[in-house]
Amino acid sequence: MKIKKGDNVQILTGKDRGRQGKVERVFVKELTLLIPGLNQYKKHRKPQGEGKPGEILTLDKPIAVSKVALVCTKCKQLTRVGYRFVDDKKIRVCRKCDADI
Ligand SMILES: [Zn+2]
């Protein structure tokens, strides 16, 4: 997974295209990300009986990793992730400016 928790990403498709947010959760198996405030949907809940009227909830829906691009913290550009190795450790780098991410 090239995107990690805490990364800033921009959405590339759909109604939130062009909007940016911070990754809060990464679902590795599903290859999706949860970004608070983005890719939201409204859920209509039926009344649950007396004193509990129905309501409309706004919830965040995980978005596919392929629909977002990483925003580099250094050059602020949309970028892809590259790797370099230092002492056998894998370090993520920005493909645009070569800064460590
Ligand atoms: Zn960069």
Side-chain angles (χ1 to χ4, degrees), residues 32-50:
T32 56
L33 309 164
L34 192 67
I35 307 157
L38 294 182
N39 205 38
Q40 291 182 322
Y41 69 105
K42 289 195 175 8
K43 185 176 185 173
H44 297 251
R45 198 158 71 181
K46 284 181 182 153
Q48 308 284 315
E50 281 302 305

Side-chain angles (χ1 to χ4, degrees), residues 23-34:
V23 176
E24 187 179 273
R25 281 192 71 183
V26 176
F27 303 96
V28 177
K29 242 197 312 192
E30 291 86 355
L31 293 175
T32 56
L33 309 164
L34 192 67

Side-chain angles (χ1 to χ4, degrees), residues 58-84:
T58 303
L59 301 168
D60 299 321
K61 190 164 63 176
I63 189 166
V65 176
S66 59
K67 290 181 180 170
V68 306
L70 186 68
V71 179
C72 175
T73 48
K74 289 268 164 50
C75 63
K76 308 289 179 202
Q77 291 187 80
L78 296 183
T79 187
R80 289 169 58 206
V81 177
Y83 292 103
R84 70 188 173 88

